[in-house]
Amino acid sequence: MDFLKDLNQPKVYELKKAFCLFDLDGDGVISEQDLKNTFLTLGVDKSEYDIDKMFEGVVQPLNLDVFLLLMLQRANGLAPQDVMVGAFRMWDKANTGFIDKERFVHDITTYGDRFTLAEANEAVDDAVITRGPQLNDEGQLLEKLDYMDFAENISGFQKTDHK
């Protein structure tokens, strides 16, 4: 597993835990039956056709090494954490580590490769949000997004200069 040496180890650990959640029978391989049972556990009944489509083009057996490679290939377009932090700093003129959530959502739904409002809200759903001490236009405490934490959660699996 030489490809792991250049990766963010906490994220690799998370992927290993995810693999174990899918490998329901604990045999070290995610089988079609494991995947079907995982969906059933979540209350979703996937057809054999759907399960077959998910395994289409995947190297078999789907062991931990193959799973990690597959996840890394899917995440290949994601930027490393330091690149994400640099992008978020454009909203943080005071260099506080926090950005105005409302302005961030507005900007990503208005400029560049635009998100829909639903996509933007989904993107920040898991972000750490703090309130105050400033007030927004409606007199409510301003919601601020902890972009250092957010960048760590949404970045790719490559190591960064900061860790």
Side-chain angles (χ1 to χ4, degrees):
M1 291 202 302
D2 283 344
F3 65 93
L4 294 178
K5 71 181 178 349
D6 293 325
L7 301 176
N8 177 325
Q9 290 306 307
K11 289 202 177 192
V12 171
Y13 178 71
E14 288 177 29
L15 287 174
K16 287 179 179 180
K17 288 191 327 188
F19 177 85
C20 292
L21 293 174
F22 284 103
D23 180 20
L24 293 179
D25 60 11
D27 66 353
V29 173
I30 299 173
S31 67
E32 291 178 0
Q33 191 61 48
D34 285 331
L35 190 57
K36 183 164 182 60
N37 289 339
T38 299
F39 277 109
L40 287 173
T41 301
L42 297 171
V44 178
D45 188 15
K46 289 283 188 183
S47 70
E48 293 297 324
Y49 175 79
D50 290 338
I51 300 294
D52 288 344
K53 291 294 282 179
M54 290 178 193
F55 274 86
E56 199 171 272
V58 175
V59 174
Q60 295 295 324
L62 182 49
N63 59 26
L64 179 60
D65 289 349
V66 173
F67 180 78
L68 289 173
L69 279 171
L70 182 64
M71 293 299 107
L72 295 172
Q73 288 169 348
R74 301 284 161 99
N76 193 27
L78 298 175
Q81 183 178 347
D82 55 344
V83 172
M84 298 297 292
V85 167
F88 287 128
R89 281 203 173 112
M90 126 181 176
W91 283 282
D92 184 18
K93 303 297 183 206
N95 200 25
T96 63
F98 295 90
I99 56 179
D100 178 334
K101 176 186 167 192
E102 190 176 311
R103 171 139 187 246
F104 176 71
V105 168
H106 171 268
D107 288 355
I108 66 174
T109 58
T110 306
Y111 306 111
D113 291 332
R114 294 181 188 109
F115 283 59
T116 65
L117 184 56
E119 290 168 335
N121 287 329
E122 183 179 339
V124 298
D125 270 349
D126 294 326
V128 174
I129 304 294
T130 61
R131 290 185 170 78
Q134 297 97 350
L135 301 176
N136 64 16
D137 294 338
E138 289 86 39
Q140 299 168 332
L141 291 175
L142 190 65
E143 291 185 315
K144 296 201 171 228
L145 186 142
D146 178 341
Y147 69 85
M148 301 295 258
D149 180 72
F150 190 52
E152 181 178 342
N153 289 334
I154 65 171
S155 62
F157 297 101
Q158 306 91 346
K159 284 183 182 174
T160 67
D161 294 335
H162 305 296
K163 289 206 171 192

